Amino acid sequence: MLIQRALLAGSALALACANAQAGNDTPKPGDTYIISRDGNQLFRGSHRIYDRMADGLVEVQYCGRSYFVRYATVAWTQLEVQQDYKVRVEFNRGKGWRPICDHPEEQVTLEDLGVQDDPRLVVQNDGSSVKRVNRFAVIREAFKTTDGDNAAKSYHGN
């Protein structure tokens, strides 16, 4: 009996450590993903999509609702569909996945985002080849002062 309790306690400790190490990798209730499934509805892969803007994300709309995704997510979606897998936006309720939106690949493409690169390159580079405009850098450049020699001449100047 003492050995069984020790084994049970050890198993519980190992399970708790495994769950602690999983951290943010495991979907939590409330997370939204684009999920790819095969013809038998078996899970193939997923990409998380977000409700808030962050660095490296771009705003898109799936079924009339705004989300923020990586360029690589849009490219991956296109590649999964090319391989005859079904992709859709799904929401984790904590007790399973609930479909939110079918055919996200028809609603947002790389071309819609101004990206002409092959989707395989975008996925491989994690979208890093996409030129992003840093609006603060543009604003800083617009207000940058110039020295007297390079400044525009006024009406009264020579």
Side-chain angles (χ1 to χ4, degrees), residues 30-157:
D31 286 348
T32 307
Y33 283 77
I34 294 182
I35 296 182
S36 172
R37 297 184 188 278
D38 66 14
N40 295 321
Q41 294 300 313
L42 296 175
F43 176 84
R44 284 214 7 98
S46 66
H47 276 235
R48 183 165 182 202
I49 61 177
Y50 303 90
D51 293 327
R52 289 184 230 153
M53 183 58 154
D55 281 342
L57 301 180
V58 62
E59 185 174 9
V60 298
Q61 290 224 348
Y62 295 123
C63 293
R65 181 167 180 217
S66 290
Y67 296 98
F68 298 91
V69 300
R70 298 176 319 159
Y71 288 94
T73 298
V74 175
W76 173 82
T77 302
Q78 290 179 222
L79 292 173
E80 289 295 295
V81 170
Q82 287 175 6
Q83 296 178 44
D84 290 328
Y85 298 117
K86 182 178 181 178
V87 293
R88 66 183 180 191
V89 177
E90 297 187 21
F91 178 77
N92 180 7
R93 295 188 322 186
K95 295 181 179 181
W97 293 93
R98 188 183 113 222
I100 295 177
C101 184
D102 289 328
H103 303 290
E105 77 283 356
E106 294 174 358
Q107 298 173 46
V108 178
T109 64
L110 287 176
E111 282 187 16
D112 296 336
L113 301 176
V115 178
Q116 301 301 320
D117 294 339
D118 185 286
R120 292 176 293 232
L121 291 174
V122 176
V123 169
Q124 182 179 357
N125 296 326
D126 196 28
S128 61
S129 66
V130 176
K131 286 191 175 186
R132 295 181 184 91
V133 176
N134 182 335
R135 64 182 174 168
F136 295 113
V138 171
I139 293 169
R140 182 175 51 246
E141 191 65 31
F143 287 101
K144 185 176 179 182
T145 60
T146 57
D147 61 9
D149 293 337
N150 294 330
K153 304 295 182 202
S154 72
Y155 174 77
H156 299 287

